[in-house]
Amino acid sequence: MSNIQNIKKRFPIFENRSDLVYLDSTATSLKPKIVIDKIREYYEKYSANVFRGIYPMSEIATTEFEETREVVSKFINANNAREIIFTRNTTESINLLAYSLGRKILEPSDEIVTTIMEHHSNFVPWQVLTNEIGATFKVIDINEDGILNLEFKIKNSELLKKIISKKTKILALTYISNVLGTINPVEEIIAEAKKINPKIIVIVDAAQAVPHLKIDVRKMGADFIVFSSHKMLGPTGVGVLWGKEKFLNEMYPFMYGGDMIDEVYVDRTTFKDTPHKFEAGTPAIGEVIALKEAIKFLEKVDMKNIRKHEKEITDFAIDRAIAKFGEEIKIFGPKNIDDRGGIISFSFGKFHPHDIAQILADSGICVRAGHHCAMPLHTRLKVPATVRASFYIYNDENDVEKLIEGLKKVKKILI
Ligand SMILES: Cc1ncc(COP(=O)(O)O)c(C=O)c1O
């Protein structure tokens, strides 16, 4: 993006930390001023609870809150705002599905299919659920390039037929791997999976996709997608679950209590319709309200520009910058830049990822080291941990140059 300096100016953190090199947006993104201002606006001007009061402050808060639901719905091209449920984060959205949907439909003879590249939050809930019910948990493997072993570019994939069958109740897969950066062709996978089993329910973990790609849930063909506000310039404490209304209507509530009930008697309770049936208790009101500002910001920059920018910077980092270290650096994930997002996980010689991250941190460079909540994937890659650098709209080639300088320093110190 040519106006990157202008974009940076919209993020107050760069004023307070002028030499910040933030390469950890996969963990959480920075926040633009308009998002921070909106939270302040709520607390300073109409800090009331939602759906309860009939006084003006509560009405304003409720209107602002419900406006975010509309904005989110349009952003991902949902059918209507009733399909948007606010949770605390992606993890809670998936656990809600495991509890309210999985427990209802899964029988011991059934299967749940996921992939080896999942974040723990789209792996452990399904593993625990299948263990509890006595059902089968199947995991799709990757090839050496960090691409799902599905021949998914080929229609009528024989491999997919071996994995997905009429017994598969749920396919839960990530859109973009938070480690490999792999962009899975979810649209094709879903179409093929539904050909093999029209009743399969597909859940897409879009935590790393919604902040970076234009998402159209109707085109994608999924039944549910989940994502987090804090990874898309929005506040922490807000997650989104989008689901087809017909499924949401049939599902159990996840939590019980205030605001999600219709009528309560001593011996029975009836519940509200979706989405309120799934939103028990007081939500993160100011944070939900501010999420719509984050979305408006992303829309203004344009998701197509964001993807283009991240592709260019990732290409620069891999091909022209990191490549200078030769075989010392091993980058995991797809070789083809079209198949990956702005995430680069790597190992560097025999240096420990935590030592690398510490030395980079001492130079003001924020990267992540560890298994990034993807232990099965790291076991598959035969490494205990990796270093991860990730890019977003406020990063530019200078950040990559600083990373390279930092890595040179790592080598000097650790050799
Ligand atoms: C692909 C993916 N799924 C799920 C999560 C969990 O997100 P949260 O911590 O917001 O629940 C993450 C977080 O990094 C992620 O990258």
Side-chain angles (χ1 to χ4, degrees):
M1 259 177 289
S2 54
N3 57 351
I4 204 81
Q5 285 312 325
N6 286 337
I7 286 184
K8 271 193 151 162
K9 280 189 202 139
R10 311 282 298 273
F11 290 76
I13 203 154
F14 290 112
E15 280 166 37
N16 299 319
R17 295 176 172 271
S18 55
D19 49 8
L20 174 66
V21 179
Y22 189 73
L23 301 177
D24 199 18
S25 295
T26 295
T28 196
S29 71
L30 303 176
K31 319 300 173 204
K33 187 164 184 308
I34 48 155
V35 168
I36 301 164
D37 285 349
K38 195 72 186 176
I39 297 180
R40 280 183 74 98
E41 181 188 289
Y42 164 71
Y43 286 112
E44 289 180 356
K45 297 193 174 158
Y46 44 91
S47 167
N49 214 326
V50 282
F51 310 120
R52 287 165 168 88
I54 51 161
Y55 49 90
M57 282 208 315
S58 177
E59 280 175 356
I60 298 170
T62 305
T63 305
E64 290 271 349
F65 188 91
E66 286 304 303
E67 263 174 32
T68 299
R69 210 186 295 279
E70 285 288 341
V71 169
V72 172
S73 165
K74 292 206 169 82
F75 186 55
I76 60 170
N77 198 27
N79 291 299
N80 61 64
R82 291 186 302 279
E83 295 179 335
I84 306 297
I85 290 147
F86 294 122
T87 60
R88 277 190 309 141
N89 46 40
T90 299
T91 306
E92 188 173 288
S93 298
I94 297 169
N95 277 275
L96 186 161
L97 286 172
Y99 182 87
S100 300
L101 174 82
R103 263 178 194 78
K104 185 173 165 156
I105 62 171
L106 206 66
E107 312 245 341
S109 58
D110 292 333
E111 296 173 352
I112 290 184
V113 173
T114 187
T115 85
I116 196 72
M117 66 167 78
E118 300 307 313
H119 187 283
H120 294 158
S121 60
N122 199 31
F123 196 90
V124 182
W126 307 120
Q127 185 191 56
V128 169
L129 176 64
T130 46
N131 281 344
E132 204 178 292
I133 307 274
T136 305
F137 182 58
K138 277 185 166 178
V139 180
I140 302 170
D141 197 12
I142 48 170
N143 67 18
E144 289 315 303
D145 273 354
I147 290 179
L148 288 177
N149 270 349
L150 282 176
E151 309 158 7
F152 42 68
K153 301 234 153 125
I154 304 160
K155 298 269 179 236
N156 302 316
S157 160
E158 286 306 314
L159 245 114
L160 197 59
K161 278 186 204 153
K162 276 190 202 143
I163 296 162
I164 287 169
S165 69
K166 294 272 191 285
K167 288 187 197 165
T168 318
K169 280 269 164 78
I170 293 172
L171 166 65
L173 86 162
T174 191
Y175 198 144
I176 298 184
S177 158
N178 68 315
V179 177
L180 303 164
T182 313
I183 304 177
N184 290 320
V186 288
E187 216 179 298
E188 291 171 52
I189 296 174
I190 294 168
E192 287 300 296
K194 292 209 171 203
K195 247 193 246 164
I196 299 167
N197 176 0
K199 287 194 176 149
I200 195 169
I201 292 176
V202 184
I203 297 165
V204 173
D205 176 352
Q208 298 300 342
V210 172
H212 305 281
L213 302 176
K214 177 78 199 116
I215 299 294
D216 180 333
V217 288
R218 284 190 253 177
K219 194 158 160 270
M220 193 194 296
D223 299 297
F224 296 93
I225 77 161
V226 292
F227 52 99
S228 293
S229 151
H230 70 93
K231 294 184 194 289
M232 51 189 290
L233 311 183
T236 52
V238 183
V240 176
L241 164 65
W242 166 81
K244 287 184 180 158
E245 212 176 342
K246 65 170 179 175
F247 291 120
L248 295 172
N249 286 340
E250 287 166 11
M251 278 159 54
Y252 297 132
F254 179 40
M255 287 190 281
Y256 299 88
D259 253 358
M260 48 79 67
I261 55 88
D262 191 12
E263 288 175 325
V264 182
Y265 301 95
V266 170
D267 60 343
R268 75 197 146 85
T269 299
T270 55
F271 306 109
K272 279 186 179 154
D273 290 334
T274 187
H276 302 289
K277 169 170 88 172
F278 298 104
E279 294 177 0
T282 301
I285 303 169
E287 288 74 7
V288 167
I289 288 173
L291 169 60
K292 69 169 163 295
E293 300 305 318
I295 293 176
K296 285 182 201 162
F297 189 97
L298 289 171
E299 281 177 328
K300 226 176 188 172
V301 181
D302 196 322
M303 296 312 290
K304 277 199 202 103
N305 289 334
I306 293 172
R307 169 69 184 138
K308 185 168 170 280
H309 171 69
E310 289 174 5
K311 210 165 139 180
E312 280 166 8
I313 190 168
T314 308
D315 197 24
F316 173 76
I318 293 178
D319 269 10
R320 283 184 282 153
I322 298 177
K324 285 186 194 143
F325 290 93
E327 304 228 311
E328 272 177 310
I329 286 201
K330 179 171 168 44
I331 295 177
F332 297 94
K335 293 202 174 51
N336 185 347
I337 200 75
D338 290 330
D339 292 336
R340 68 186 304 152
I343 297 170
I344 303 176
S345 295
F346 58 93
S347 54
F348 187 23
K350 293 239 175 315
F351 309 135
H352 197 285
H354 288 103
D355 292 338
I356 299 170
Q358 185 58 59
I359 294 168
L360 292 174
D362 293 342
S363 308
I365 303 165
C366 310
V367 296
R368 181 93 177 261
H371 54 58
H372 319 299
C373 301
M375 261 184 84
L377 174 61
H378 279 77
T379 305
R380 170 68 179 83
L381 297 173
K382 299 190 179 70
V383 286
T386 51
V387 180
R388 183 182 71 190
S390 52
F391 308 115
Y392 209 5
I393 52 177
Y394 33 70
N395 294 115
D396 57 17
E397 291 188 0
N398 274 337
D399 294 329
V400 178
E401 303 286 6
K402 286 193 183 139
L403 173 67
I404 300 305
E405 285 311 306
L407 290 174
K408 283 183 190 159
K409 201 165 145 193
V410 167
K411 215 172 143 180
K412 247 194 224 158
I413 294 172
L414 292 182
I415 258 178

